[in-house]
Amino acid sequence: MQMPASKAPLAIRMHANDNVAIIANDSGLPAGTVLPDGLVLRDKVPQGHKVALHDVAQGQPVLRYNVPVGFAKQDIAAGSWVHERLLDIPAARALHNLPMATVKPSASEALAGYTFDGYVNADGSVGTRNLLAITTTVQCVAGVVSVAVERIRQELLPKYPNVDGVVGLEHTYGCGVAIDAPGAEIPIRTLRNISLNPNFGGEVMVVSLGCEKLQPDRLLPAGSFPIQDARQPEAALDLVCLQHDTHVGFMSMIDDIVARAKPHLERLNARRRQTVPASALVVGVQCGGSDAFSGVTANPAVGYMADLLVRAGATIMFSENTEVRDAVEQLTSRAATPEVAQQIIDELGWYDQYLDRGRADRTANTTPGNKAGGLSNIAEKAMGSIIKSGSAAIGSVLSPGNKLKADQKGLVFAATPASDFICGTLQLAAGMNLHVFTTGRGTPYGLAECPVVKVATRTDLASRWHDLMDMNAGRIADGEITIEQAGWELFHLLLEVASGRKTWAEKWKLHNALVLFNPAPIT
Ligand code: CA
């Protein structure tokens, strides 16, 4: 990678075999600009877009990351702007005859001595925040729950200073759905497992309507939720049912929810942060609003951080099916065992069929903003996205909505859609206690349930959105820091945020709604 001074023409090539490079300068570069290696631009090339480093004949591959991200529709002369209209997208790699666990990443030294201050739960998991969550069985109760949450916030939270907040787990599921159809188990187990997220301290309280399809005992069958009082091993689910006869008038419902919250708040308030090893981190990574710099700056920094987390014994999840589909060979070859490689194929195959049922495919992924930011198609986007997973062996695979087991440490492929909200929701269900989110175009994304550390791919975005972005990985393209330095910086930032330092999204209370992944029909 070339790293000249900031204002000089700067083109970044990711691999020595690449026949294109990315223009890094803030406003792009005009035609006639001479690049450091002497190449003269034939066209104006916008920031983040590709320039042909050599002549590319019609039908020949355009290589970025040493991988074809497209095939030239016509002859492309050296110095030309290579945009998506000049490229045919490569066909999706078939899901058979793939390399299975063929790459053995060299064993890296364990990282010891890194800690954070978190809330240790009875099951051994660790929260980075101390939140009361109110689970809901159905969307019908959402309005009532949000009034109750506001009253708890105003009247009760000042009395419980060690509790960080109260969150209503609202969603659009629960009724009007084909609840026994194949795939319906995904939203149900997602909601169940989110209720058990480490940031909620094992406290589970539920508000239901009464007549909905998703009955409380189906959402949380006996034995699936923590027993809160050891003296009452048969403790029933703590449930407020709005249609119950005892509720006379709206305020009786609110009073009931607020009263039920008190014992939970008392137990949460008695908790204190304790120093725990970094291995207790469960980090979910994803990207949103990506540009061509995502795969040059922020995502490689996240990948380096992912390797550090694996070395520290932590759990790190990467996701986003449609953004890894074009890199499936890299995933199956990096799987720790052939069985794990097969699970990757099974998840991506299931997702291919899911898209096919909707008469779509992986190419539905890229957005107008992705393309304006220089990403020609999903093949190019995928190569930049998968770098977030670092270089460790993929130790296990998680199906959507499932919860990680205690021994599922290291690098995990959590198979989820790429949708920011659905990916975040499914990673919460997996047990995520910290979220890392990279963005190039910019998004104010945040979650109420878990801190979200946002990493900007470009200095321009980080400067304009100075109070929304937690870290500027654009300094890598500016030549100020290396990918390794950025990875370490992010690793240390994660330990601080896990210990209670607020992210920008937390300061501004920017919370996106939970969005359950429901592949089953609506009635
Ligand atoms: Ca995403």
Side-chain angles (χ1 to χ4, degrees):
M1 200 184 292
Q2 304 158 45
M3 293 288 182
S6 57
K7 297 297 176 192
L10 174 54
I12 297 174
R13 184 163 62 169
M14 294 307 290
H15 190 278
N17 293 345
D18 291 358
N19 54 12
V20 292
I22 303 302
I23 296 298
N25 301 75
D26 271 354
S27 307
L29 291 173
T33 302
V34 182
L35 296 182
D37 63 357
L39 180 68
V40 180
L41 296 189
R42 298 171 66 95
D43 306 309
K44 176 185 182 342
V45 182
Q47 187 193 32
H49 282 249
K50 294 177 285 300
V51 57
L53 299 174
H54 314 292
D55 293 340
V56 184
Q58 184 181 4
Q60 289 304 300
V62 166
L63 296 172
R64 190 178 168 202
Y65 307 101
N66 195 28
V67 170
V69 298
F71 293 91
K73 283 184 175 176
Q74 61 191 63
D75 292 343
I76 301 173
S80 301
W81 175 25
V82 182
H83 47 74
E84 82 270 12
R85 297 178 298 283
L86 293 178
L87 300 180
D88 285 320
I89 183 171
R93 177 75 166 82
L95 292 177
H96 51 78
N97 295 329
L98 286 161
M100 307 289 271
T102 48
V103 173
K104 296 288 169 218
S106 51
S108 42
E109 196 186 340
L111 268 186
Y114 290 93
T115 60
F116 71 98
D117 295 335
Y119 295 97
V120 178
N121 296 314
D123 66 354
S125 68
V126 177
T128 61
R129 296 293 181 267
N130 191 28
L131 299 166
L132 172 66
I134 301 177
T135 300
T136 64
T137 54
V138 66
Q139 168 68 15
C140 311
V141 306
V144 172
V145 167
S146 53
V147 171
V149 162
E150 199 46 46
R151 234 183 82 186
I152 293 167
R153 231 171 242 150
Q154 288 179 10
E155 293 176 17
L156 294 186
L157 282 189
K159 298 176 194 162
Y160 302 103
N162 295 324
V163 179
D164 292 320
V166 54
V167 184
L169 300 179
E170 295 167 12
H171 56 87
T172 59
Y173 199 72
C175 213
V177 291
I179 203 159
D180 295 314
E185 71 278 10
I186 292 177
I188 297 171
R189 71 190 181 205
T190 303
L191 194 53
R192 175 184 308 136
N193 288 328
I194 288 182
S195 309
L196 307 175
N197 184 278
N199 286 349
F200 307 148
E203 301 292 332
V204 177
M205 65 175 284
V206 180
V207 176
S208 85
L209 181 63
C211 57
E212 67 272 25
K213 279 192 169 160
L214 183 56
Q215 287 290 302
D217 59 354
R218 180 157 183 178
L219 176 63
L220 287 156
S224 70
F225 55 94
I227 302 299
Q228 289 148 9
D229 186 342
R231 290 162 302 178
Q232 291 176 284
E234 307 281 307
L237 190 60
D238 184 4
L239 173 70
V240 175
C241 174
L242 300 190
Q243 289 171 349
H244 198 277
D245 295 345
T246 53
H247 288 136
V248 180
F250 170 63
M251 286 318 292
S252 73
M253 301 173 187
I254 302 295
D255 291 343
D256 196 1
I257 297 170
V258 171
R260 298 285 192 103
K262 283 181 189 167
H264 296 286
L265 288 167
E266 269 162 27
R267 283 191 293 265
L268 290 171
N269 194 54
R271 288 148 51 91
R272 295 293 180 276
R273 287 187 183 272
Q274 293 169 247
T275 301
V276 295
S279 57
L281 284 177
V282 181
V283 179
V285 301
Q286 70 155 321
C287 46
S290 296
D291 66 4
F293 283 94
S294 298
V296 176
T297 59
N299 290 353
V302 167
Y304 192 85
M305 173 213 74
D307 288 349
L308 294 177
L309 286 169
V310 171
R311 288 171 59 193
T315 305
I316 169 110
M317 285 179 277
F318 71 105
S319 297
E320 305 178 292
N321 293 337
T322 51
E323 291 176 15
V324 303
R325 178 64 180 82
D326 279 86
V328 61
E329 285 174 87
Q330 292 181 40
L331 297 190
T332 54
S333 58
R334 262 173 68 201
T337 64
E339 291 73 28
V340 171
Q342 188 57 48
Q343 286 169 19
I344 293 168
I345 292 169
D346 292 347
E347 288 294 343
L348 293 180
W350 182 87
Y351 208 78
D352 278 357
Q353 288 170 15
Y354 163 77
L355 289 172
D356 193 48
R357 284 204 302 277
R359 298 188 181 181
D361 63 28
R362 76 209 198 285
T363 62
N365 178 300
T366 39
T367 66
N370 292 155
K371 290 182 178 177
L375 291 173
S376 291
N377 55 42
I378 187 61
E380 182 174 11
K381 188 174 175 181
M383 297 310 147
S385 179
I386 198 172
I387 295 180
K388 295 198 296 298
S389 66
S391 63
I394 300 166
S396 60
V397 174
L398 195 70
S399 298
N402 277 345
K403 192 175 188 316
L404 290 162
K405 296 186 181 73
D407 62 351
Q408 246 174 316
K409 296 287 186 182
L411 183 63
V412 179
F413 173 53
T416 80
S419 154
D420 298 349
F421 330 106
I422 294 181
C423 173
T425 299
L426 290 168
Q427 289 184 343
L428 281 172
M432 167 172 74
N433 56 19
L434 205 55
H435 200 18
V436 175
F437 192 103
T438 67
T439 183
R441 307 291 294 170
T443 161
Y445 176 87
L447 293 171
E449 296 80 7
C450 166
V452 178
V453 174
K454 288 206 292 297
V455 183
T457 71
R458 295 175 297 124
T459 296
D460 173 56
L461 173 68
S463 309
R464 285 187 294 112
W465 288 29
H466 57 90
D467 51 3
L468 289 165
M469 294 293 135
D470 299 292
M471 183 175 153
N472 173 21
R475 290 172 296 153
I476 296 169
D478 299 340
E480 288 176 22
I481 53 171
T482 63
I483 287 168
E484 292 76 12
Q485 286 168 330
W488 273 107
E489 187 179 315
L490 186 53
F491 179 74
H492 286 291
L493 177 59
L494 289 195
L495 295 176
E496 282 180 39
V497 170
S499 301
R501 174 176 161 178
K502 285 191 171 178
T503 64
W504 280 114
E506 284 180 296
K507 281 180 189 154
W508 299 126
K509 297 187 167 53
L510 303 179
H511 300 151
N512 286 99
L514 295 178
V515 183
L516 297 177
F517 178 39
N518 177 25
I522 306 293
T523 64

